Amino acid sequence: MKRASYSKEFKVKVVKEAIETGNKSLIARRYVLSVGLVHRWVVEYQSGKFQKRRIRGNVAFEER
């Protein structure tokens, strides 16, 4: 079985919902994801991992 791959945009959407609601478990169930995965994405988002995107060698910043 192939491992699922999620876009950065999807991850940011899930993370923002988890932060806004304060309920990672609810958001994980909504998108059929594990709570651990949602938690990891939140930690990565808060540490700045999702802020920078490379577009053809240039760096673009996403809004938080």
Side-chain angles (χ1 to χ4, degrees), residues 3-25:
R3 178 180 279 191
S5 178
Y6 302 99
S7 70
K8 193 175 289 189
E9 291 78 18
F10 175 74
K11 290 178 184 180
V12 169
K13 176 183 175 180
V14 170
V15 165
K16 285 183 177 182
E17 286 186 37
I19 291 171
E20 287 173 8
T21 64
N23 191 338
K24 294 174 192 160
S25 180

Side-chain angles (χ1 to χ4, degrees), residues 41-54:
W41 289 351
V42 169
V43 170
E44 289 173 352
Y45 179 82
Q46 291 173 334
S47 71
K49 181 176 180 181
F50 297 144
Q51 285 184 316
K52 295 180 183 177
R53 261 185 19 191
R54 293 213 173 265

Side-chain angles (χ1 to χ4, degrees), residues 19-38:
I19 291 171
E20 287 173 8
T21 64
N23 191 338
K24 294 174 192 160
S25 180
L26 173 70
I27 302 306
R29 283 193 308 266
R30 181 178 295 162
Y31 292 102
V32 191
L33 302 167
S34 74
V35 177
L37 182 60
V38 173

